[in-house]
Amino acid sequence: MRVLITGGAGFLGSHLSDRFLAEGHTVIAMDNLITGSVRNIEHLAGHERFSFVKHDVTNYIYISGTVDAVLHFASPASPVDYLNHPIPTLKVGSLGTHNALGLAKEKGARFLLASTSEIYGDPLVHPQTEDYWGNVDPIGPRGVYDEAKRFAEAMTMAYHTYHGLETRIVRIFNTYGPRMRLDDGRVVPNFIGQALRGEPLTVYGDGSQTRSFCYVDDLIEGIYRLLFSEEPKPVNIGNPHEMSILEFATFVNTTTGNPGGIAMLKNKRIKGDPQTRRPDISKAKRVLDWEPSVNIEEGLQHTIAYFSEFVEVDS
Ligand code: UDP
């Protein structure tokens, strides 16, 4: 297959590029590099089945030749990034999704949208099943991401329903691993960076809010299976192992032997920060025969090993 991956130089896009190349496919990675980085794909330079195009997908996308699948992963994804780039986030979820769908339709390609657990907002149903409609404040700070992704899902389903396009929607829950940016502001890189520097881990609010962290290799496996499945409706992919942020901080400190302790930053939580989040993955199990296999101990070790290079560079 010849596959276009938008956001191909990002955290997830670069891992997807690796996976599709390893399976023998040809990959065109497209990225405008506002939050992605060529460092994530520099090991692929010169690969005969890989090419990189620097392009902002909110503008018309032109690709010559055949395209068999479009995976739309372009978007700022960490709260700090999308608060720094609110309008580009809204544009890539709306205009970018429209352009990527238009290309898929033109080429007769299968389309897969990277959606998110954020479409559930601050959920009133726990754990979150795919049939839950969510609890999102459209004009709150996180609305720029949440509503862009909700629109993207609506647009993707419309192309499926009205144009008969083969579409897939993955709702991605908190994912971590090598190639996250140390400074992207998310809790995993923040805590690991702080721990490796011997600093206190910055817990926002009272730390009672929960997240469920999925290692990147597990997520990529789920996405790969979804693309080749026959499921057009959204599928949650994530790890149901749920922890409070305070528990997670303690765990990171224990794992790294960080003497820095924990700093409780009561006022740092962004308005609308979900109080709980855990995927119900029954559908992924049933439809994709998928479930995560990497536990937090192992995943964190790989991630710490990756970040330790960058922390040394910084210091
Ligand atoms: N968080 C924290 N300390 C940090 C960064 C984040 O306590 O240094 C909290 C944040 O308030 C949220 C959770 O960790 O409740 C996960 O935040 P993240 O930015 O990783 O992503 P989110 O799941 O909110 O999109």
Side-chain angles (χ1 to χ4, degrees):
M1 289 204 320
R2 194 160 178 254
V3 180
L4 171 69
I5 302 176
T6 77
F11 166 44
L12 298 181
S14 65
H15 283 282
L16 278 172
S17 296
D18 287 344
R19 178 63 188 266
F20 278 84
L21 290 169
E23 299 283 350
H25 305 297
T26 295
V27 171
I28 306 160
M30 185 170 274
D31 207 298
N32 67 356
L33 301 176
I34 64 167
T35 59
S37 165
V38 287
R39 185 154 55 188
N40 291 335
I41 48 169
E42 65 187 359
H43 61 289
L44 299 176
H47 190 297
E48 57 176 5
R49 283 183 282 108
F50 179 77
S51 56
F52 173 69
V53 182
K54 184 169 185 287
H55 180 68
D56 179 342
V57 296
T58 63
N59 299 313
Y60 185 85
I61 307 169
Y62 175 77
I63 302 281
S64 65
T66 59
V67 177
D68 304 298
V70 175
L71 289 95
H72 183 39
F73 277 70
S75 180
S78 89
V80 168
D81 283 346
Y82 58 71
L83 294 177
N84 283 336
H85 304 285
I87 312 288
T89 300
L90 281 158
K91 284 175 71 177
V92 76
S94 53
L95 307 177
T97 302
H98 189 212
N99 288 333
L101 281 162
L103 177 82
K105 176 166 166 270
E106 168 69 24
K107 302 286 187 183
R110 192 170 276 214
F111 180 86
L112 186 145
L113 174 70
S115 186
T116 168
S117 56
E118 278 285 324
I119 71 117
Y120 302 121
D122 189 1
L124 304 176
V125 165
H126 193 73
Q128 292 77 57
T129 45
E130 287 88 350
D131 55 10
Y132 177 49
W133 291 356
N135 178 35
V136 171
D137 175 3
I139 58 165
R142 300 174 79 109
V144 296
Y145 183 66
D146 302 7
E147 295 295 359
K149 290 290 188 181
R150 289 169 70 95
F151 176 89
E153 286 200 7
M155 185 66 111
T156 301
M157 281 314 289
Y159 265 67
H160 176 71
T161 307
Y162 300 108
H163 290 313
L165 194 70
E166 281 287 355
T167 57
R168 307 287 176 262
I169 298 173
V170 55
R171 289 188 180 151
I172 300 170
F173 283 67
N174 293 68
T175 301
Y176 68 100
R179 302 191 197 145
M180 292 184 99
R181 277 194 354 263
L182 194 52
D183 65 352
D184 86 359
R186 284 188 273 200
V187 68
V188 173
N190 271 12
F191 281 5
I192 296 179
Q194 289 158 351
L196 292 173
R197 289 188 295 263
E199 296 167 4
L201 307 196
T202 53
V203 170
Y204 300 166
D206 64 4
S208 66
Q209 69 270 34
T210 68
R211 292 297 186 273
S212 308
F213 298 105
C214 183
Y215 188 62
V216 64
D217 289 358
D218 281 333
L219 179 86
I220 297 296
E221 177 63 31
I223 291 169
Y224 196 80
R225 289 187 192 202
L226 177 61
L227 180 68
F228 293 104
S229 78
E230 298 304 318
E231 180 54 60
K233 297 223 180 98
V235 179
N236 290 339
I237 300 283
N239 190 321
H241 178 74
E242 183 181 10
M243 297 173 104
S244 76
I245 294 302
L246 190 56
E247 262 179 277
F248 181 58
T250 308
F251 179 68
V252 170
N253 274 342
T254 310
T255 306
T256 55
N258 177 29
I262 288 172
M264 304 296 294
L265 304 183
K266 294 269 178 252
N267 301 324
K268 271 282 264 186
R269 270 184 93 185
I270 299 167
K271 187 164 170 273
D273 182 331
Q275 180 58 29
T276 55
R277 182 183 287 158
R278 169 157 58 104
D280 181 316
I281 59 165
S282 326
K283 184 172 180 185
K285 282 185 182 160
R286 191 176 71 248
V287 178
L288 310 177
D289 190 26
W290 174 90
E291 62 183 319
S293 65
V294 181
N295 64 31
I296 189 82
E297 287 81 5
E298 185 188 347
L300 212 58
Q301 290 299 349
H302 295 309
T303 313
I304 291 167
Y306 172 80
F307 281 130
S308 44
E309 279 179 46
F310 297 96
V311 171
E312 271 161 29
V313 170
D314 285 356
S315 59

